[in-house]
Amino acid sequence: MLVSASSDLTLKLWPLDSPEAPVPRATLQTHTDYVKALAYAPSAGLIVSASLDKMIHIYKLDTLRQVAASGGGGGGSLAGASAGQAIGDWTGTEGGAVPIVASGHKDSIYSVAINAAGTLIASGSVEPEIRLWDGRSGR
């Protein structure tokens, strides 16, 4: 599986075993601005995306379910959220989930990394600091 990020606000999951022109297995659209960075935690099966919308989104690769989202600015693709709000279920290949929002970046996020176990996420923006997040909760 190959995962791509795009200026069309999406992540696309591409099969690598298709002999023909590949068609995305899924399109995930939960960001509200360009998706600038991706990271993968192989032991946990997690994908993390970071965007100019100041948000980090965490997905389970096997179920395409959004685990959590955290960031500074404002909600996900369906609605705003507040700290402590329940994690939303994935609603389909063109849908989204209501993210958990925690205090975070005040500017666009350009880089993200996650450890192999999926327990620690580091993110960076134009702010003069790196933020650390719990990969299990998005906080």
Side-chain angles (χ1 to χ4, degrees), residues 82-87 100-101 139:
S82 60
Q85 189 166 1
I87 297 170
I100 293 173
V101 178
R139 300 209 185 271

Side-chain angles (χ1 to χ4, degrees), residues 37-57:
L38 293 172
Y40 174 56
S43 297
L46 297 176
I47 298 171
V48 179
S49 62
S51 170
L52 298 184
D53 64 7
K54 307 172 192 157
M55 299 288 291
I56 296 169
H57 292 235

Side-chain angles (χ1 to χ4, degrees), residues 1-97:
M1 185 71 56
L2 173 73
V3 181
S4 63
S6 178
S7 62
D8 70 359
L9 319 183
T10 66
L11 280 71
K12 292 185 189 268
L13 283 73
W14 303 88
L16 297 177
D17 56 359
S18 175
E20 302 163 11
V23 174
R25 176 176 161 224
T27 298
L28 311 177
Q29 187 169 357
T30 56
H31 286 287
T32 60
D33 206 338
Y34 290 17
V35 184
K36 297 298 284 184
L38 293 172
Y40 174 56
S43 297
L46 297 176
I47 298 171
V48 179
S49 62
S51 170
L52 298 184
D53 64 7
K54 307 172 192 157
M55 299 288 291
I56 296 169
H57 292 235
I58 308 166
Y59 307 91
K60 278 295 269 181
L61 185 58
D62 60 350
T63 62
L64 299 183
R65 188 174 187 172
Q66 185 172 7
V67 177
S70 59
S77 64
L78 295 182
S82 60
Q85 189 166 1
I87 297 170
D89 286 343
W90 186 248
T91 59
T93 59
E94 298 298 329

